[in-house]
Amino acid sequence: MLRLLKTCAMAACVAALAGPAMAQTKWNLPAAYPADNPHSVNLNAFAKDVADLTGGKLQITVHAAASLFKAPEIKRAVATGQAQAGEVLISLHENEDPLFGIDVVPFVATSYPAAKKLWLASKPAVEKKLASQGLLLLFAVPWGPQGIYAKKDLNTMEDMKGLKWRAYNVGTSRIAELVGAQPVTIQAAELPQALATGVVNAFMTSGSTGYDSKAWETMTHFYDTQAWIPKNVTFVNKPAFDALDKPTQDAILKAAAVAEERGWKLAEEKAKWYLEQLAANKMKVLPPPPALKAGLEKIGEQLTADWSKKAGPDGEAVIAAYKK
């Protein structure tokens, strides 16, 4: 009997010690893009890495395709604790701070090395702003270079007048205004329906978003302007992060570093593939005609000046760091 009691007592101690170690924390991570989009694929790989590194203690569920929150709502949902983590196209929030829109100023950074350099120059300022909103920055991953989708030939800026132009941030709205198009606010998850119903008949985005939305069903042309390379940013609710033990925090940061490296590599590899898919689906994939390119570059100069004025000294410091 004594031996049995000792055995039971030992088992109880082991169970008590094992209890906290086996406790599982579950997080939700809302995202705006389809499950097979490279950004969503990368997020799921990040979640798996976190689970593996923590021995299953932290489980992150990725909710793709704006299924939990719509794109413009995700950042606030994480800041207020409705979700523990999230991913957004950071330029959606340029109205909060111009620094959130630095990567969509046309023709500032038009290659992946340039986009990475711009991100590193702007990262401290973006990190600081997110921290002031209760968010901890984890990583950023780019899209493909941005081009123009249309249902007709676009040879000059005049050809863009009157188009029903999809806008999704400050920059795309301003482009519509400058070319005489009609801006219509449409987020990525709503784009296929907007195209099918004729709500928009032209838009500027990456090859991947065109592919996701099956742009070839309604559009005929893609002009590869390579105007800018925007980024999605993934962050966590700071109080939720602070509530984790140190090993779990370290695991998240380690998985985040891997996700950023993997995401940049994947974006660059897939950019060409997406354009090939547009062409395979009978779209005309073209460089912008000289007059159109010249007009867009002039708009880029105007938007850069507008952005610099809004961003003030902080923006000037970032641009100076980028140009070093």
Side-chain angles (χ1 to χ4, degrees):
M1 177 63 73
L2 184 59
R3 182 180 296 174
L4 180 60
L5 288 172
K6 283 182 179 179
T7 302
C8 290
M10 188 177 295
C13 287
V14 169
L17 290 170
M22 295 302 290
Q24 189 180 78
T25 301
K26 294 185 177 182
W27 279 11
N28 290 311
L29 195 164
Y33 304 96
D36 60 351
N37 182 278
H39 286 278
S40 301
V41 171
N42 192 42
L43 287 175
N44 279 304
F46 164 71
K48 183 179 185 303
D49 288 346
V50 169
D52 290 345
L53 289 168
T54 62
K57 279 178 66 177
L58 178 58
Q59 297 285 339
I60 300 176
T61 301
V62 176
H63 299 269
S67 57
L68 194 58
F69 294 100
K70 292 181 179 179
E73 301 168 355
I74 290 173
K75 184 166 158 292
R76 179 171 175 77
V78 179
T80 56
Q82 296 175 72
Q84 294 78 19
E87 180 203 55
V88 298
L89 179 73
I90 193 62
S91 63
L92 286 179
H93 301 286
E94 185 178 351
N95 278 328
E96 295 175 27
D97 192 313
L99 285 167
F100 287 156
I102 191 171
D103 61 0
V104 295
V105 181
F107 304 105
V108 170
T110 58
S111 68
Y112 282 104
K116 189 63 174 284
K117 187 180 178 185
L118 182 62
W119 168 235
L120 294 176
S122 61
K123 183 178 178 180
V126 172
E127 205 163 24
K128 183 179 178 182
K129 179 64 179 181
L130 290 174
S132 74
Q133 298 174 330
L135 300 168
L136 175 69
L137 172 68
L138 288 185
F139 57 92
V141 173
W143 287 89
Q146 305 291 286
I148 299 174
Y149 292 82
K151 297 177 75 169
K152 65 174 186 175
D153 291 336
L154 299 178
N155 294 307
T156 68
M157 302 305 287
E158 291 291 315
D159 294 329
M160 297 177 70
K161 281 188 176 178
L163 292 174
K164 291 184 283 185
W165 179 267
R166 177 227 178 184
Y168 59 87
N169 58 17
V170 173
T172 49
S173 296
R174 183 77 172 119
I175 288 171
E177 179 186 328
L178 291 172
V179 303
Q182 175 189 340
V184 184
T185 301
I186 302 289
Q187 297 304 327
E190 303 157 353
L191 185 55
Q193 184 177 1
L195 293 175
T197 55
V199 172
V200 295
N201 58 17
F203 58 103
M204 201 165 194
T205 192
S206 64
S208 57
T209 298
Y211 176 83
D212 287 343
S213 57
K214 297 183 179 178
W216 53 82
E217 293 182 351
T218 50
M219 302 287 112
T220 55
H221 295 61
F222 176 78
Y223 291 97
D224 189 14
T225 58
Q226 301 194 18
W228 65 84
I229 297 177
K231 293 182 303 294
N232 280 7
V233 169
T234 299
F235 41 71
V236 296
N237 175 279
K238 188 64 164 59
F241 182 84
D242 290 343
L244 301 171
D245 60 36
K246 183 68 163 53
T248 303
Q249 292 178 348
D250 290 345
I252 291 173
L253 297 178
K254 183 177 180 181
V258 171
E260 180 157 301
E261 184 177 349
R262 178 178 55 229
W264 280 80
K265 183 180 179 184
L266 187 60
E268 194 163 1
E269 287 175 352
K270 293 284 282 186
K272 183 181 177 185
W273 183 86
Y274 280 120
L275 298 192
E276 290 170 350
Q277 297 312 300
L278 298 181
N281 281 283
K282 311 303 181 190
M283 286 194 74
K284 295 179 181 178
V285 177
L286 307 162
L292 182 64
K293 184 176 181 181
L296 289 170
E297 287 175 349
K298 190 173 181 181
I299 284 178
E301 291 170 9
Q302 176 67 56
L303 292 181
T304 300
D306 290 350
W307 183 86
S308 297
K309 187 176 179 180
K310 286 189 299 181
D314 287 345
E316 288 174 11
V318 170
I319 292 294
Y322 168 63
K323 289 183 175 177
K324 278 183 181 177

